[in-house]
């Protein structure tokens, strides 16, 4: 009996066809591999920094995908050992972006043939390895045979060579007969890679230079590469506005990005564990999904870890997790001990991760408190604005006339209530400003854009008016029916019209609709 260990064919499915949930991960994996080789090409002097090119071509009509870089390529003698073996990578864990040796085969689950073409500088040969993905799936699904994984790999692959210019160096991935429509959806792939891939922030983002200055001032390094999709270079899509949904199914601006602030955490030896930045706005609520960049994202080597939901876990209370979408931004894990897991949806468990989570959760307490402070500020501002609106409305009514006695009494009651609330709102703003000044909250940077008076020293903000039980009357109250257009009607008729307007006010709560109806009545009455 042979007691030697055996590895069955099903392990191939687990490591290649069944590893990830989102099929678009294959783009990330191939870009990740290209980025590692670009780094080596720069070190070896094959290309200068910034001369890298990673091209993705999506041919939806012919259902073909090509991903090509101008990095080192693979020497002919290393093609089979590198491209046919699984989980046998020579890359360095904690240093290279990819290091498990399984990502390059992810495309097998989504095409009929997966082809690798490569040429190494100084060699006049292009080496090609073709994986028969259909045959691989057929072998794995055949439950009547039991085959060794190594034998299966030999059956489904073949290699060939052809002449190539000696100065050429590249690596190309070709997926033929792509089965997934999602992989062929150019817009979907752009949206995905703009957040996941190691690319630069779009220059149109007003605070991109501020982020660059922070990186430079702290001696940080952020890997960025020139990545193109069907000829268009992609960038991180951070915007200067926050968008909501309009009534026509489109988008509308609902808030401005007012600034950015930063996070930085070091260990006892002064080594940076992570750094990050996040947006500052009025924090009026969660960003809608149409904001592609919403949420603070987790990154390692400038490649996204997980998805937009990843940082929710750092808010310790479940009820606070909604605050994750009040911001957009990034946390860059720097420590070499923070190693992405095989699915790249989080880090592997170790002491470094526990320390990382503890530190980030402390930072996120500050983000939560900012949201709560902003909510109180916004609420107080709305209260003061409502009081001002009522004062202005009453002023107009005193000029044009009230529709009824009830309208006058209702507006006066509302004003008196909001005058009282306004005094308390001013006091809350005063206290909040003092707290923000003392705690050096990030809101301090943008507080003048919330409420201009909040920047004044504590105690200096005074309400614009004080409540009174009832304003002094300078004369008889003017009603709408006192206007000249009603002069043709008798006193009794005016009184009846006033009662009609009172009934309309009771029946139609919406002032705009109510006013529109009364204007129609006035037009008919004056014909």
């Amino acid at each position: 009996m042979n007691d030697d260990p055996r590895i069955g064919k099903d392990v191939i499915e687990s490591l290649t066809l069944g590893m990830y949930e989102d099929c678009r991960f294959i783009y990330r994996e191939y870009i990740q591999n290209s980025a590692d080789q670009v780094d080596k090409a720069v070190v070896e002097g094959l290309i200068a920094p910034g001369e890298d090119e990673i091209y993705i071509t999506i041919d939806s009509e012919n259902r073909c995908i090509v991903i090509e870089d101008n990095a080192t390529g693979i020497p002919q003698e290393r093609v089979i050992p590198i491209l046919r073996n699984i989980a046998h990578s020579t890359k360095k864990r904690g240093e290279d972006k990819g290091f498990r040796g399984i990502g390059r085969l992810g495309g097998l689950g989504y095409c009929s043939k997966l082809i690798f073409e490569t040429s190494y500088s100084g060699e006049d040969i292009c080496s090609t390895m073709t994986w028969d993905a259909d045959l691989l799936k057929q072998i794995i699904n055949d439950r009547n045979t039991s085959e060794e994984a190594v034998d299966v790999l030999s059956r489904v692959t073949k290699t060939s060579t052809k002449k190539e210019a000696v100065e050429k160096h590249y690596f190309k991935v070709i997926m033929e007969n792509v089965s997934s429509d999602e992989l062929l959806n150019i817009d979907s792939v752009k949206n995905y890679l703009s957040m996941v891939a190691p690319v630069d922030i779009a220059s149109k983002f007003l605070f991109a230079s501020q982020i660059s200055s922070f990186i430079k001032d702290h001696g940080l390094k952020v890997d960025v590469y020139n990545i193109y999709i069907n000829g268009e270079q992609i960038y991180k899509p951070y915007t200067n506005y926050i968008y909501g949904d309009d009534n026509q199914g489109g988008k509308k601006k609902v808030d401005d990005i007012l600034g950015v602030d930063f996070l930085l955490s070091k260990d006892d030896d002064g080594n940076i564990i992570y750094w990050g930045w996040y947006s500052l706005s009025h924090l009026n609520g969660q960003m809608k999904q149409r904001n592609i960049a919403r949420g603070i994202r987790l990154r390692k080597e400038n490649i996204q870890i997980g998805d937009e939901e990843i940082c929710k876990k750092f808010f310790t209370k479940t009820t606070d997790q909604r605050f994750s979408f009040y911001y957009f931004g990034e946390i860059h894990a720097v420590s070499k001990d923070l190693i992405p897991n095989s699915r790249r949806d989080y880090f592997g468990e170790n002491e470094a991760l526990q320390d990382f989570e503890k530190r980030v959760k402390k930072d996120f307490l500050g983000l939560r408190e900012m949201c709560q402070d902003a909510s109180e500020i916004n609420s107080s501002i709305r209260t003061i604005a409502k009081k001002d609106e009522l004062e202005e409305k009453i002023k107009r009514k005193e000029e044009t006339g009230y529709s009824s006695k009830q309208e006058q009494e209702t507006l006066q009651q509302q004003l008196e209530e909001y005058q009282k609330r306004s005094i308390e709102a001013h006091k809350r703003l005063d206290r909040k400003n003092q707290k923000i000044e003392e705690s050096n909250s990030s809101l301090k940077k943008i507080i003048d854009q919330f409420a201009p008076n909040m920047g004044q020293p504590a105690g200096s903000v005074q309400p614009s008016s004080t409540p009174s039980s009832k304003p002094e009357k300078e004369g008889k109250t003017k009603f709408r029916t006192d206007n000249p257009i009603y002069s043709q009607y008798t006193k009794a008729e005016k009184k009846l019209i006033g009662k009609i307007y009172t009934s309309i006010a009771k029946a139609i709560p919406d002032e705009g609709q109510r006013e529109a109806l009364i204007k129609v009545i006035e037009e008919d009455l004056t014909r």
Side-chain angles (χ1 to χ4, degrees):
M1 181 177 179
N2 187 350
D3 293 329
D4 292 337
R6 302 181 63 191
I7 301 177
K9 62 184 179 182
D10 288 341
V11 74
I12 302 174
E13 180 179 32
S14 299
L15 292 177
T16 59
L17 308 181
M19 180 64 73
Y20 306 94
E21 295 179 0
D22 189 337
C23 63
R24 294 174 298 179
F25 84 93
I26 65 166
Y27 289 107
R28 181 196 68 204
E29 293 296 326
Y30 293 132
I31 287 172
Q32 181 175 281
N33 289 336
S34 290
D36 278 332
Q37 297 310 120
V38 164
D39 293 344
K40 292 176 182 175
V42 171
V43 170
E44 295 173 9
L46 290 175
I47 57 175
E51 291 182 348
D52 59 281
E53 295 175 345
I54 302 173
Y55 282 99
I56 299 171
T57 302
I58 301 174
D59 184 346
S60 303
E61 184 176 351
N62 294 306
R63 307 194 73 83
C64 179
I65 295 170
V66 179
I67 304 168
E68 181 177 7
D69 64 57
N70 65 339
T72 61
I74 300 175
Q76 182 189 7
E77 63 180 13
R78 299 288 298 154
V79 167
I80 292 179
I82 290 176
L83 296 182
R84 194 167 66 181
N85 292 338
I86 295 179
H88 198 264
S89 176
T90 58
K91 295 183 180 181
K92 296 180 181 179
R93 182 182 292 257
E95 295 184 16
D96 291 316
K97 297 170 182 62
F99 53 85
R100 289 188 171 86
I102 56 178
R104 70 180 179 278
L105 300 182
L108 286 169
Y110 306 99
C111 62
S112 63
K113 280 188 171 54
L114 179 63
I115 303 168
F116 300 126
E117 291 184 0
T118 183
S119 182
Y120 189 71
S121 180
E123 296 184 349
D124 61 353
I125 292 174
C126 168
S127 301
T128 300
M129 176 174 285
T130 302
W131 287 71
D132 191 331
D134 287 343
L135 178 58
L136 175 62
K137 294 166 195 171
Q138 179 182 330
I139 293 172
I140 290 174
N141 291 330
D142 183 359
R143 309 321 297 171
N144 296 320
T145 61
S146 177
E147 299 185 54
E148 291 288 299
V150 173
D151 295 334
V152 173
L153 295 181
S154 297
R155 285 183 60 188
V156 301
T157 59
K158 65 178 182 179
T159 59
S160 62
T161 60
K162 61 183 179 181
K163 281 290 185 178
E164 182 58 278
V166 70
E167 71 274 8
K168 293 282 189 177
H169 49 91
Y170 58 84
F171 187 84
K172 183 186 297 186
V173 179
I174 304 170
M175 295 174 60
E176 294 183 350
N177 298 319
V178 176
S179 59
S180 168
D181 290 337
E182 184 77 0
L183 290 177
L184 297 170
N185 185 323
I186 296 173
D187 289 337
S188 174
V189 174
K190 283 180 181 177
N191 290 342
Y192 173 79
L193 287 181
S194 66
M195 290 307 303
V196 171
V199 295
D200 208 349
I201 295 173
S203 59
K204 64 182 179 182
F205 181 52
L206 292 176
F207 306 99
S209 60
Q210 189 176 340
I211 296 170
S212 296
S213 295
F214 180 88
I215 293 170
K216 181 179 179 181
D217 292 345
H218 291 84
L220 299 164
K221 180 176 180 290
V222 178
D223 294 332
V224 295
Y225 302 87
N226 298 314
I227 301 175
Y228 304 82
I229 299 179
N230 285 18
E232 178 184 344
Q233 188 165 3
I234 60 171
Y235 297 92
K236 293 174 183 173
Y238 298 116
T239 57
N240 301 314
Y241 306 99
I242 297 172
Y243 294 97
D245 302 324
D246 64 19
N247 296 329
Q248 286 75 44
K251 66 180 182 180
K252 64 179 180 179
K253 296 175 185 177
V254 296
D255 201 355
D256 298 287
I257 300 302
L258 306 175
V260 295
D261 208 357
F262 299 91
L263 304 171
L264 184 70
S265 185
K266 298 180 180 180
D267 62 21
D268 294 338
D269 297 323
N271 299 311
I272 296 176
I273 299 172
Y274 66 86
W275 71 274
W277 66 271
Y278 55 90
S279 62
L280 297 173
S281 67
H282 290 96
L283 300 173
N284 289 319
Q286 294 189 47
M287 299 182 192
K288 300 287 187 180
Q289 282 188 331
R290 66 169 54 256
N291 297 279
I292 299 172
R294 72 173 188 159
I296 297 178
R297 310 298 180 102
L298 189 55
R299 307 182 79 85
K300 182 69 186 287
E301 307 291 346
N302 202 22
I303 299 176
Q304 184 172 290
I305 302 292
D307 57 19
E308 64 180 18
E309 306 271 347
I310 191 68
C311 285
K312 281 187 173 182
K313 66 178 70 185
F314 300 131
F315 289 100
T316 52
K317 294 182 179 179
T318 303
T319 53
D320 293 336
Q321 290 184 355
R322 68 186 188 279
F323 294 138
S324 180
F325 289 148
Y326 279 57
Y327 304 92
F328 61 65
E330 303 174 346
I331 293 178
H332 290 257
V334 177
S335 171
K336 291 183 178 181
D337 294 323
L338 293 169
I339 301 172
N341 61 25
S342 58
R343 293 172 63 92
R344 207 174 179 88
D345 56 9
Y346 200 47
F347 297 115
E349 291 287 341
N350 57 23
E351 291 184 7
L353 177 61
Q354 295 174 9
D355 180 57
F356 170 80
E357 291 180 333
K358 182 179 179 181
R359 291 169 181 267
V360 177
K361 286 178 180 179
K362 185 176 180 180
D363 280 334
F364 273 48
L365 287 175
L367 297 184
R368 180 198 69 180
E369 190 169 359
M370 279 178 56
C371 290
Q372 293 172 335
D373 287 343
S375 176
E376 290 187 40
I377 291 170
N378 288 324
S379 176
S380 297
I381 292 172
R382 286 193 295 269
T383 296
I384 295 169
K386 180 64 174 178
K387 186 267 300 181
D388 293 342
E389 178 188 326
L390 285 167
E391 287 180 338
E392 183 62 29
K393 187 174 183 180
I394 288 174
K395 182 179 178 181
R396 290 196 306 269
K397 289 292 182 181
E398 288 173 350
E399 294 174 354
T400 61
Y402 293 96
S403 297
S404 64
K405 184 70 174 177
Q406 181 183 6
E407 182 184 45
Q408 181 196 26
E409 292 175 351
T410 299
L411 286 175
Q412 183 58 41
Q413 289 171 0
Q414 290 177 349
L415 176 60
E416 290 173 3
E417 176 63 26
Y418 272 94
Q419 283 177 326
K420 294 175 184 178
R421 292 186 188 181
S422 179
I423 288 180
E424 292 304 315
H426 276 289
K427 290 179 180 179
R428 286 197 300 272
L429 290 177
D430 204 23
R431 291 193 298 269
K432 194 63 63 179
N433 182 57
Q434 186 174 11
K435 173 195 169 186
I436 290 170
E437 287 286 336
E438 292 173 352
S439 64
N440 201 29
S441 166
S442 292
L443 284 180
K444 183 178 178 181
K445 293 184 175 182
I446 57 170
I447 207 65
D448 286 342
Q449 299 181 68
F450 272 88
N453 289 333
M454 281 194 67
Q456 298 179 16
S460 66
V461 177
Q462 298 296 328
S464 60
S465 62
T466 56
S468 59
S469 58
K470 219 166 202 181
E472 294 184 8
K473 293 185 178 179
E474 297 181 355
K476 181 182 176 183
T477 301
K478 182 177 181 180
F479 290 99
R480 194 161 190 149
T481 52
D482 293 330
N483 289 323
I485 63 172
Y486 294 92
S487 59
Q488 60 182 305
Y489 295 100
T490 65
K491 186 175 181 180
E493 288 172 333
K494 289 180 182 179
K495 188 174 182 180
L496 176 60
I497 293 171
K499 286 183 178 181
I500 292 173
Y501 289 166
T502 300
S503 299
I504 289 173
K506 291 179 181 179
I508 305 176
D510 183 86
E511 183 181 4
Q513 295 178 356
R514 185 167 67 241
E515 183 64 23
L517 177 58
I518 290 176
K519 283 185 177 180
V520 170
I521 293 174
E522 283 183 334
E523 289 175 1
D524 290 340
L525 289 173
T526 55
R527 285 176 181 171

